[in-house]
């Protein structure tokens, strides 16, 4: 069993950090439908020693949506070079059912030239003005702003290596998903050492050899004093500039990368590393209800796709993964000599890998629009004592749903008497995973 453990690094985690200034502001707008001005400003409120206000376009800023922004109230009179970084959320409160309130989060470095920031298409005007929706009650709209003002980071003088012990990767275009994946793999010492042991020749060029390009990238991440470029690696994939600016699927990239590395490791001292780290097995089964017949099939996996929509946390996603499907009525199962039978169908796990990679399903099929829509991003996981779970991408990107989704620092896949495990699973193995995040 290989257990991935993070290496020690110089950090400032234990140094006291003052909480940044923050504030919540509530704005009640009466006679909303009778507002005639294109723009409408809230009262001024103060956060971090500076004056802010909400800027609203009641009929939309040249769109059929409510437009809403956070604005620096006195930007015209601020001193030359003034700038403030703020993380904030803007919300339209649902006055009938608060849980249906619409809230959106963003961040921005405000200055004299960019003194407002927010959402041009915050919510459709049709929903806003629909009296049954609960956003406009007695012609009153309630808007909220939560603002956190942080000190400016001077990115030209900021020393990431000194402050955190890490340098990170440069964004080559739309490659944040790839950077997160690469840094996650880098932080598995056993994987990194296996990559270093992959044979290359003097005639190899990084732009034409995935093993050499990955070795070079990992070496620079480990020893460089500044952020590392990924162009050599993407060239070794056969990508051009256009590919770098396309949003590829991180799961597909992970699988293709691992397959290529697995192939290059054959016949070497590190052969089988990918399987040892990431391969688990589950059992697909169909069991008849009224006759004694059961069909099973063992399959391997390198990562798991988990549903996010309708699931409040990772355990709910696992519950859904092993959920039993009934085969009955027009969907009965044909059980060889028994013919059509009522049956139950499902999947249970035989064993989990040392490093468990979880992919939160990012897309689902929208039958109304006949297309795939983005639901959520991905998460991943490495084992703690005995096992590990690793944040595969280390980030959560923009999503079409606003449901809260939680994952624990420790994921116990033996819970509830091992309900995720098949009868063939070795119950002596402890499937307890510890989350490690590398941002």
């Amino acid at each position: 069993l290989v257990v991935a453990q993070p290496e020690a690094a110089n950090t400032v985690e234990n140094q006291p950090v003052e909480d940044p200034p923050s504030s919540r502001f509530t704005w009640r707008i009466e006679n909303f439908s009778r507002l005639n001005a294109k723009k409408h400003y809230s009262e001024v409120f103060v956060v971090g020693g500076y004056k802010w206000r909400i800027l609203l376009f009641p009929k939309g800023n040249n769109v059929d949506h409510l437009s809403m922004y956070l604005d620096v109230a006195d930007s015209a009179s601020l001193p030359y070079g003034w700038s403030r970084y703020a993380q904030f959320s803007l919300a339209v409160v649902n006055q009938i059912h608060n849980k249906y309130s619409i809230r959106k989060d963003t961040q921005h470095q405000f200055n004299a030239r960019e003194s407002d920031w927010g959402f041009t298409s915050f919510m459709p005007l049709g929903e806003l003005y629909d009296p049954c929706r609960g956003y406009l009650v007695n012609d009153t709209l309630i808007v909220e702003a939560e603002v956190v003002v942080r000190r400016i980071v001077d990115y030209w003088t900021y020393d990431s290596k000194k402050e955190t012990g890490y340098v990170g990767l440069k964004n080559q275009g739309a490659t944040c998903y790839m950077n997160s994946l690469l840094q996650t793999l880098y932080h598995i010492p056993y994987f990194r050492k296996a990559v270093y042991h992959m044979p290359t020749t003097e005639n190899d060029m990084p732009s034409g050899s995935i093993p050499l390009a990955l070795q070079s990238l990992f070496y620079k991440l480990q020893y460089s004093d500044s952020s590392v470029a990924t162009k050599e690696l993407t060239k070794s994939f056969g990508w051009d500039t256009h590919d770098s600016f396309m949003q590829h699927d991180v799961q597909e990239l992970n699988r293709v990368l691992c397959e290529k590395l697995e192939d290059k490791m054959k016949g070497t001292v590190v052969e089988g590393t990918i399987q040892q780290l990431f391969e688990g097995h589950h059992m697909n089964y169909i069991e008849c209800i009224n006759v004694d017949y059961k069909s099973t099939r063992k399959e391997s996996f390198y990562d798991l796709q988990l549903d996010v929509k309708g699931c409040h946390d990772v355990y709910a996603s696992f519950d859904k993964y092993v959920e039993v499907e009934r085969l009955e009525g027009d969907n009965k199962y044909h059980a060889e000599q028994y013919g059509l039978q009522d049956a139950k169908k499902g999947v249970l796990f035989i064993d989990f890998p040392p490093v468990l990679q979880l992919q939160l399903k990012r897309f689902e099929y929208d039958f109304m629009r006949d297309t795939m829509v983005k639901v959520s991003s991905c998460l991943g996981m490495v084992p703690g004592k005995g096992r590990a779970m690793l944040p595969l991408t280390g980030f959560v990107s923009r999503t079409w749903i606003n449901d809260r989704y939680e994952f624990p620092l420790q994921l116990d896949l033996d819970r509830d008497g091992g309900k995720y495990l098949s009868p063939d699973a070795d119950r002596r193995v402890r499937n307890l995973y510890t989350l490690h995040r590398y941002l």
Side-chain angles (χ1 to χ4, degrees):
L1 176 67
V2 180
V3 179
Q5 296 289 353
E7 294 183 340
N10 295 323
T11 69
V12 292
E13 289 180 359
N14 296 324
Q15 297 182 13
V17 177
E18 292 184 4
D19 291 335
S22 63
S23 179
R24 172 182 286 188
F25 173 73
T26 302
W27 182 21
R28 294 180 62 90
I29 312 171
E30 298 179 349
N31 301 316
F32 183 80
S33 64
R34 286 184 271 175
L35 295 176
N36 294 321
K38 183 178 181 181
K39 297 181 180 181
H40 195 49
Y41 289 96
S42 74
E43 297 174 355
V44 172
F45 59 97
V46 177
V47 187
Y50 293 94
K51 297 177 181 178
W52 307 85
R53 59 186 177 178
I54 300 172
L55 167 59
L56 199 71
F57 288 73
K59 299 297 190 295
N61 187 8
N62 299 317
V63 294
D64 58 354
H65 285 64
L66 177 71
S67 303
M68 189 157 52
Y69 312 86
L70 180 65
D71 179 62
V72 180
D74 54 353
S75 58
S77 61
L78 290 171
Y80 175 79
W82 179 90
S83 182
R84 276 294 176 274
Y85 172 74
Q87 293 174 300
F88 64 95
S89 67
L90 298 173
V92 171
V93 176
N94 191 296
Q95 300 171 59
I96 298 177
H97 299 289
N98 188 263
K99 67 178 181 178
Y100 295 122
S101 297
I102 298 176
R103 185 178 302 277
K104 295 189 177 183
D105 303 271
T106 188
Q107 54 195 8
H108 183 62
Q109 191 149 307
F110 292 84
N111 54 54
R113 289 181 293 106
E114 292 184 336
S115 61
D116 61 70
W117 193 260
F119 308 94
T120 300
S121 299
F122 186 84
M123 66 178 296
L125 292 175
E127 292 184 12
L128 175 65
Y129 285 95
D130 185 344
C132 299
R133 298 274 184 157
Y135 300 108
L136 199 58
V137 176
N138 296 326
D139 207 20
T140 297
L141 186 74
I142 301 177
V143 172
E144 287 183 349
E146 291 190 30
V147 183
V148 179
V149 179
R150 301 183 182 275
R151 67 180 180 86
I152 304 170
V153 176
D154 185 349
Y155 294 103
W156 297 106
T157 60
Y158 179 74
D159 190 335
S160 174
K161 187 81 169 185
K162 179 181 177 181
E163 296 290 338
T164 69
Y166 304 107
V167 294
L169 296 171
K170 295 178 182 177
N171 197 326
Q172 193 178 325
T175 57
C176 55
Y177 67 96
M178 179 185 72
N179 290 358
S180 298
L181 171 61
L182 292 173
Q183 289 181 96
T184 294
L185 294 174
Y186 166 82
H187 278 288
I188 306 174
Y190 192 91
F191 180 89
R192 182 167 72 248
K193 291 171 184 175
V195 168
Y196 286 156
H197 278 87
M198 295 175 68
T200 57
T201 68
E202 293 181 358
N203 297 324
D204 286 343
M205 296 292 291
S207 60
S209 167
I210 290 179
L212 184 56
L214 195 57
Q215 288 172 352
S216 174
L217 184 137
F218 279 3
Y219 178 85
K220 291 173 183 176
L221 279 175
Q222 195 165 355
Y223 296 107
S224 177
D225 291 327
S226 58
S227 58
V228 181
T230 58
K231 287 185 178 180
E232 285 184 340
L233 182 63
T234 55
K235 282 184 179 179
S236 74
F237 295 164
W239 288 7
D240 55 20
T241 303
H242 175 71
D243 290 304
S244 298
F245 281 89
M246 287 183 62
Q247 183 70 35
H248 296 267
D249 182 66
V250 68
Q251 183 182 27
E252 183 64 22
L253 174 64
N254 182 46
R255 289 184 177 179
V256 170
L257 179 62
C258 285
E259 284 175 6
K260 289 185 179 295
L261 293 177
E262 194 171 24
D263 183 61
K264 295 292 184 180
M265 288 177 179
K266 287 181 180 177
T268 74
V269 294
V270 290
E271 181 176 357
T273 295
I274 302 298
Q275 285 179 305
Q276 291 174 36
L277 284 175
F278 304 122
E279 186 178 48
H281 300 89
H282 51 51
M283 177 190 75
N284 294 286
Y285 68 88
I286 298 178
E287 184 176 2
C288 293
I289 296 172
N290 301 314
V291 297
D292 185 17
Y293 183 85
K294 185 175 183 179
S295 172
T296 62
R297 184 178 73 256
K298 179 180 179 180
E299 291 185 350
S300 65
F301 64 86
Y302 279 5
D303 54 47
L304 297 175
Q305 279 196 337
L306 299 181
D307 285 324
V308 176
K309 192 172 183 180
C311 301
H312 64 278
D313 62 11
V314 172
Y315 289 123
S317 296
F318 268 97
D319 290 343
K320 194 168 184 179
Y321 197 94
V322 301
E323 194 173 56
V324 176
E325 178 186 354
R326 301 278 296 199
L327 304 179
E328 53 193 8
D330 294 335
N331 195 32
K332 287 186 177 183
Y333 174 64
H334 189 275
E336 296 184 358
Q337 70 268 26
Y338 296 105
L340 294 175
Q341 293 289 330
D342 291 337
K344 52 185 181 180
K345 176 183 177 183
V347 59
L348 291 169
F349 292 95
I350 299 172
D351 56 64
F352 293 101
V355 179
L356 177 61
Q357 302 183 87
L358 303 182
Q359 288 282 350
L360 307 187
K361 283 189 180 179
R362 306 175 67 215
F363 299 93
E364 67 172 5
Y365 191 75
D366 187 323
F367 291 95
M368 298 298 292
R369 287 187 278 175
D370 190 28
T371 187
M372 299 296 285
V373 296
K374 195 168 187 177
V375 175
S376 185
S377 183
C378 27
L379 152 83
M381 306 192 154
V382 186
K385 292 189 176 179
R387 314 293 288 166
M389 69 182 185
L390 157 99
L392 182 58
T393 60
F395 74 99
V396 178
S397 68
R398 289 172 294 178
T399 171
W400 286 104
I401 58 173
N402 295 314
D403 295 352
R404 181 182 178 87
Y405 189 82
E406 299 177 357
F407 46 92
L409 293 178
Q410 282 201 324
L411 181 69
D412 186 1
L413 294 179
D414 295 326
R415 70 197 303 250
D416 296 341
K419 65 178 179 179
Y420 305 131
L421 303 177
S422 79
D424 299 330
D426 185 351
R427 301 296 174 118
R428 295 170 298 177
V429 176
R430 185 73 171 100
N431 298 299
L432 180 65
Y433 287 80
T434 300
L435 177 69
H436 298 286
R437 292 191 67 84
Y438 303 104
L439 301 178

